[in-house]
Amino acid sequence: MPARYETFEEEFGRLIKPDAELRKLATGFEWAEGPCWFSEGQHVVWSDIPNDRMLKWSAQDGMTVFRQPCNYTNGHTRDREGRLVSCEHGGRRVSRTEPDGRVITVVDNYKGKRLNSPNDVVVKSDDTIWFTDPPYGILSNREGHQAESELGKDYVFRFDPRSGELRIVADDFDKPNGIAFSPDEKVLYVADTGRSHRPDGPHHIRAFDVGRDGKLSNSRVFADVEPGIADGFRTDIQGNVWTSAGDGIHVYSAAGVKLGKIHVPERAVSNCTFGGPNRTTLFITATTSLYSIEVSARGAQMP
Ligand code: MG
């Protein structure tokens, strides 16, 4: 279908392709999330959380099942060695898929207390793993296994695989969710999505300055997302933020100015990632389906 845009700032026109098609690549999911691009295979992997499966799509092979069951994975990313790093609701851990296919635990507890249900994850160029830990996967049996929170709070964590240290980097979120670095890694963006469970809850993206020691400072609200929440987002090489929202993908400049919107005809959009041969294809997970759209911007995340 022809893409439907809304433009708030002229600059948006340089980031999109006006005549692009919004393509529905695959459908039939209960709640799709966590798209992750593999350039070497030109394929995307994502989660269909309530169905406890991971799916894979390529232009050549269409959609296939990547892993089922999968411990109710949610967000995915890749580390600097190209290994798949996943948030598992069911395993209440961050896991990593080794080159031989084994799935190993990266981290599953903070000082002996189990994590809630890791939601979204990003790996910094120094190999540290940053993730959000809201309780969505333990609130019911729909997206994991219902359980009490052992931590009693929703933290944002930084894990250092060299030292094994798991550190709380933010402790004042109400359901932290999407997480991404600016291309120069000087800014960390984290979504606060409490609105998903109470109407007056937060629905914004916060930005932090990232210190050399890995400490965060200068917390500020970067963008108030309306409608819906910022479940997941990515940055392009210019530093613009492409975020999910209730009605589509919203694009913000690095200064936090809302530039425009790509409408996606679903109940809600959950996440997106850049891929394709030039990282100019935006893959979008939205409730029941996986979409793609060609854009003029180029994704920043590697590999
Ligand atoms: Mg999420």
Side-chain angles (χ1 to χ4, degrees):
M1 67 196 89
R4 200 156 70 76
Y5 300 107
E6 239 173 285
T7 300
F8 306 120
E9 299 291 335
E10 207 181 298
E11 199 182 329
F12 187 58
R14 293 192 287 277
L15 301 176
I16 49 131
K17 293 189 186 301
D19 300 327
E21 291 278 314
L22 179 69
R23 298 174 61 208
K24 190 188 273 193
L25 302 175
T27 191
F29 320 126
E30 228 177 300
W31 180 255
E33 265 250 45
C36 183
W37 178 250
F38 288 74
S39 53
E40 62 274 40
Q42 294 290 302
H43 65 261
V44 60
V45 168
W46 73 99
S47 305
D48 177 12
I49 306 176
N51 287 314
D52 194 13
R53 60 179 179 166
M54 290 166 70
L55 300 155
K56 173 179 168 180
W57 180 94
S58 68
Q60 201 178 325
D61 300 327
M63 185 177 78
T64 51
V65 174
F66 180 84
R67 184 184 300 161
Q68 188 178 26
C70 64
N71 279 336
Y72 296 92
T73 57
N74 188 331
H76 305 277
T77 192
R78 300 177 73 196
D79 67 14
R80 298 292 153 152
E81 292 177 42
R83 297 172 298 192
L84 177 66
V85 175
S86 303
C87 291
E88 295 184 5
H89 286 182
R92 297 176 69 171
R93 64 176 182 169
V94 176
S95 68
R96 188 174 70 215
T97 303
E98 301 294 272
D100 64 8
R102 280 179 310 131
V103 182
I104 64 153
T105 298
V106 173
V107 61
D108 63 1
N109 73 88
Y110 178 74
K111 295 185 173 167
K113 291 184 175 167
R114 296 183 77 186
L115 301 176
N116 294 326
S117 51
N119 189 292
D120 217 342
V121 59
V122 65
V123 178
K124 200 164 173 277
S125 58
D126 64 2
D127 298 325
T128 53
I129 298 168
W130 302 62
F131 63 96
T132 54
D133 189 39
Y136 292 113
I138 55 172
L139 291 174
S140 74
N141 289 315
R142 182 170 182 260
E143 295 192 0
H145 310 295
Q146 190 171 9
E148 287 293 313
S149 169
E150 293 183 18
L151 292 169
K153 271 196 104 164
D154 306 354
Y155 295 115
V156 183
F157 287 109
R158 169 192 183 270
F159 180 69
D160 186 340
R162 285 196 190 87
S163 65
E165 182 205 15
L166 181 65
R167 186 195 295 172
I168 294 167
V169 290
D171 63 0
D172 58 348
F173 276 75
D174 176 7
K175 298 186 176 61
N177 205 321
I179 185 166
F181 284 104
S182 61
D184 62 8
E185 299 184 333
K186 287 184 176 160
V187 178
L188 179 72
Y189 299 103
V190 184
D192 211 352
T193 61
R195 177 192 254 182
S196 64
H197 277 69
R198 53 182 180 93
D200 61 342
H203 48 97
H204 52 237
I205 299 172
R206 277 159 64 183
F208 298 87
D209 295 339
V210 183
R212 270 204 210 120
D213 54 2
K215 294 213 169 81
L216 301 181
S217 61
N218 191 21
S219 169
R220 66 262 187 199
V221 172
F222 169 76
D224 252 316
V225 173
E226 190 71 57
I229 55 167
D231 204 333
F233 39 82
R234 295 288 189 269
T235 53
D236 65 29
I237 55 172
Q238 293 175 296
N240 300 301
V241 177
W242 299 63
T243 181
S244 74
D247 58 350
I249 296 291
H250 297 193
V251 183
Y252 290 87
S253 72
V257 177
K258 193 173 178 177
L259 304 178
K261 188 189 281 196
I262 306 168
H263 280 274
V264 177
E266 294 266 349
R267 185 170 57 79
V269 175
S270 62
N271 222 317
C272 62
T273 199
F274 288 95
N278 305 309
R279 296 206 311 279
T280 56
T281 307
L282 189 70
F283 291 93
I284 303 165
T285 49
T287 313
T288 67
S289 307
L290 174 75
Y291 295 83
S292 75
I293 184 169
E294 289 303 315
V295 297
S296 293
R298 195 157 185 232
Q301 91 251 20
M302 304 291 278

